[in-house]
Amino acid sequence: EETPPPIDFEEVRPNEAGRIMVVMFHNFIQEYESGDKEFTTTFDEFEGLLDTLYSKDYSLISLSDYLNNDISVPAGRIPIIFTFDDGTSGQFNLVMEDGGLTANSKSAVGIMEEFYKQHPDFGLEGTFYVNLGLGTFQGEGTVAERLQYLTDRGFEIGNHTLHHAALNEIKSAEKIQEEIGGNQKKMYELVPGYRMISFSLPYGLPSSDLREYVYRGQYQGVSYENMAVMLVGANPTVSPVNKEYNPLSTPRVRASGIEPVDMDLGWWLEKLSRAEQYVSDGNPDTIAVPEEKEESIDRDRLEGKELVLY
């Protein structure tokens, strides 16, 4: 890889100690008729959102790159992470076209693929939290083909329990491991060798004595370990080199639904200043931070990257 050209720090004002939004999406529909307004987005609104994010200098990164502190977006751009819960067909489904299976252009993935063709510097990334005991991305093709389509294109699959279980109501370690480990076991059957490394809580955490089984456990000979656990609300998270970084408690910003609410994505896009956010210096080997933010950096997390203060 070539070293990127030096940047004008005063012009770009990189801040790789800043905050990062992990966005939580649920349902996507053509047009709203009835039902949930808070967690539902129309395809048109999603297309508009991508335009807005792009014009405000956001670029997509994968959750893995965030967890590994391997964030690589062009200088001056702000990393953002997309997560999708429940495996709904509006997020992604396959259709038969020209004798082959392809992403439905009327799905979040289809819209993102089209946007990426026009704006490759926006990126094409996302993590889908699925319940493989329930219907997953219903449409053409088998569940295995649907998952393979996503993983082949660099999208990530995360664990959301086998049956969308309310972990906060489960009283036994066995049952939690059956739900989380059983989902990983099913994933291995569908996409051999694919290990899910992050978990999205369907309805909150179980009691404290059972919590360790959310992070790791085993079921029928299949072990699992979650490097990150996604929460349901409501703030941007921190840089992976921040002292407060705790991937096992990663807050997410919910996507704006048909009915906007406080602290949804639209709200944060207005309230969150550029100075508060993670602004890239364009060089994945350095962590560039204004001098006044030095205190927030955990030097043990730099992992060989050079800290640049200005």
Side-chain angles (χ1 to χ4, degrees):
E1 262 183 58
E2 292 174 25
T3 308
I7 59 165
D8 180 337
F9 281 88
E10 286 311 314
E11 189 190 338
V12 176
R13 304 291 301 165
N15 172 19
E16 299 188 317
R19 299 171 84 179
I20 295 175
M21 288 196 282
V22 180
V23 186
M24 173 182 77
F25 293 98
H26 279 83
N27 308 313
F28 293 86
I29 55 171
Q30 181 68 39
E31 55 186 306
Y32 180 76
E33 285 166 8
S34 64
D36 173 78
K37 284 185 174 174
E38 232 169 273
F39 294 101
T40 301
T41 307
T42 65
F43 296 128
D44 286 349
E45 281 173 341
F46 186 60
E47 280 180 34
L49 172 66
L50 297 185
D51 278 325
T52 299
L53 293 175
Y54 185 72
S55 69
K56 288 179 179 283
D57 292 336
Y58 290 95
S59 284
L60 288 169
I61 61 166
S62 69
L63 186 65
S64 289
D65 285 350
Y66 169 72
L67 297 174
N68 296 322
N69 185 25
D70 191 16
I71 295 172
S72 179
V73 297
R77 295 194 72 85
I78 302 167
I80 191 167
I81 299 165
F82 279 4
T83 66
F84 303 83
D85 285 13
D86 304 342
T88 58
S89 58
Q91 295 170 5
F92 166 66
N93 69 85
L94 289 173
V95 290
M96 190 61 82
E97 226 169 72
D98 303 325
L101 290 168
T102 188
N104 190 341
S105 61
K106 282 294 180 200
S107 72
V109 168
I111 291 166
M112 288 166 72
E113 286 182 339
E114 198 51 45
F115 193 81
Y116 177 66
K117 284 179 198 163
Q118 318 298 323
H119 308 286
D121 52 337
F122 183 67
L124 183 62
E125 307 280 357
T127 299
F128 293 85
Y129 290 101
V130 295
N131 315 100
L132 295 172
L134 305 173
T136 305
F137 305 127
Q138 283 171 321
E140 296 287 335
T142 63
V143 178
E145 285 170 322
R146 297 166 197 168
L147 294 168
Q148 195 74 53
Y149 183 97
L150 293 172
T151 56
D152 283 351
R153 282 153 187 78
F155 290 108
E156 298 181 354
I157 309 296
N159 204 323
H160 198 42
T161 71
L162 194 58
H163 302 104
H164 207 273
L167 297 186
N168 52 358
E169 293 172 12
I170 291 178
K171 299 289 182 259
S172 77
E174 290 71 32
K175 184 69 182 156
I176 291 175
Q177 292 176 98
E178 182 185 327
E179 278 293 336
I180 304 177
N183 207 38
Q184 175 61 72
K185 183 172 185 279
K186 187 87 179 146
M187 187 70 194
Y188 282 146
E189 290 163 13
L190 293 162
V191 184
Y194 192 94
R195 191 173 179 85
M196 297 187 277
I197 60 159
S198 67
F199 182 74
S200 163
L201 289 163
Y203 298 105
L205 283 160
S207 56
S208 53
D209 57 319
L210 295 173
R211 214 153 280 181
E212 64 184 280
Y213 299 104
V214 172
Y215 309 129
R216 66 188 66 83
Q218 53 181 329
Y219 173 70
Q220 293 186 352
V222 171
S223 64
Y224 62 89
E225 181 164 7
N226 290 309
M227 287 171 60
V229 174
M230 302 291 117
L231 309 178
V232 169
N235 310 302
T237 188
V238 295
S239 160
V241 295
N242 189 295
K243 285 176 177 167
E244 292 173 13
Y245 172 71
N246 175 12
L248 294 176
S249 186
T250 302
R252 291 187 289 177
V253 171
R254 65 164 101 161
S256 303
I258 308 283
E259 209 159 77
V261 292
D262 275 1
M263 298 179 85
D264 68 7
L265 180 56
W267 188 92
W268 281 110
L269 286 173
E270 280 183 24
K271 300 276 194 279
L272 202 57
S273 70
R274 186 179 175 87
E276 290 173 90
Q277 298 182 76
Y278 186 118
V279 177
S280 173
D281 68 351
N283 184 346
D285 299 323
T286 55
I287 297 292
V289 188
E291 275 180 353
E292 66 271 16
K293 304 270 169 87
E294 183 186 359
E295 283 304 295
S296 67
I297 296 287
D298 179 344
R299 287 172 183 268
D300 292 340
R301 295 219 171 94
L302 293 172
E303 292 176 5
K305 295 181 195 283
E306 182 193 350
L307 183 61
V308 178
L309 301 170
Y310 70 95

